[in-house]
Amino acid sequence: MPRYSFPKPKGSEITPRDVYLNRRHFIAGAMATGVGVSMVGTARAASAATQPLTFKQGAAPVLSDKPTARELATTYNNYYEFGTSKGEPAHNASTLKIKPWTVEIGGEVAKPRTIGIEDLLAMELEERIYRMRCVEAWSMVIPWVGMSFSKLASLVEPTSKAKYVKFTSAARPEEMPGVRSRILDWPYTEGLRMDEAMHPLTFLTLGMYGETLPNQNGAPVRIVTPWKYGFKNAKSIVRIDFVSEQPRTAWMTAGANEYGFYANVNPEVDHPRWSQKHERLLPAFFASRETEKFNGYGAEVTSLYSGMDLAANF
Ligand SMILES: Nc1nc2c(c(=O)[nH]1)N[C@H]1C(S)=C(S)[C@@H](COP(=O)(O)O)O[C@H]1N2
Ligand SMILES: [Mo]
């Protein structure tokens, strides 16, 4: 297995670094001029490229917390193809060409097909407000727009041999500066077990805050599984394969002892380098919120894992 020199934050570094970045966002949001201008300008430039969407309210568990400010959700990102710091995706991702864009869907399906983003956008869309939890112990509440992944799956008719779904993100060195370095084993790949993928909460996401996705959030299409750590949610997807074996994911290649295949949010199972018991619900400075098992979606998803040891299958 090749070795990758991706940056590993030390557990002790996470809070001060995030606090620093968070402070910049706080300042940017609070000030109309001065130090905050470049951050706010970035967000505005990005939103100028997005389009409003039509959608209905979808059925999702109601959350006690309000959605995170859009400015924060679109400037504090993890998208290593555009750099490893939280601010880089918003600065760098405008180079990604999202038109035209197609998603190839194949593998163990009766009707493989290539589908254009325009066709996906023409389908009936809904909004789902989901709590999101990064493995780095910060969280946000995001109003996503899209459709249940099962709707897309029904178009290609998975066969009985389909046991897992593999998602592949775009990897374009000319458009994505991070892909020019060996930060991860590009392309970024992720996967779900078939029953997880077909679960009604699993969301094929085309937009957020009522508009198409900004590039830094994974335009034009990404996957969202709200009961799992954020890294499961592959951005800017170009391929979806229904497969018979559990796919090896980019993060498992980077560190299988740290980033498991299941990646269910679980305060009882610490990351090897830090606790997962609490989280910073951004823009909070401190990890004051108790992390909930399955990120609060236990009523919906616990049955998927009956009989499984979730500490061994982390
Ligand atoms: N292709 C790709 N998808 C990705 C990532 C990435 O680096 N590349 N980062 C993941 C991680 S770690 C998180 S927490 C979420 C962040 O999504 P957001 O920036 O929209 O909040 O995207 C996930 N999807
Ligand atoms: Mo993450």
Side-chain angles (χ1 to χ4, degrees), residues 77-78 80 86 133-138 188 229-233 251 259:
N77 301 101
N78 270 341
Y80 279 15
K86 300 289 179 271
R133 172 54 157 85
C134 177
V135 73
E136 297 167 317
W138 47 269
Y188 194 100
Y229 291 120
F231 67 86
K232 295 302 288 181
N233 304 326
W251 278 108
Y259 308 99

Side-chain angles (χ1 to χ4, degrees), residues 73 76-81 134-135 138 140 142 144 169 184 186 188 208 216-217 222 230-236 251:
Y76 188 94
N77 301 101
N78 270 341
Y79 198 167
Y80 279 15
E81 287 87 336
C134 177
V135 73
W138 47 269
M140 297 192 196
I142 312 277
W144 301 112
S169 297
L184 285 172
W186 312 115
Y188 194 100
M208 63 195 293
Q216 62 269 32
N217 292 91
R222 70 181 297 182
F231 67 86
K232 295 302 288 181
N233 304 326
K235 294 177 169 182
S236 308
W251 278 108

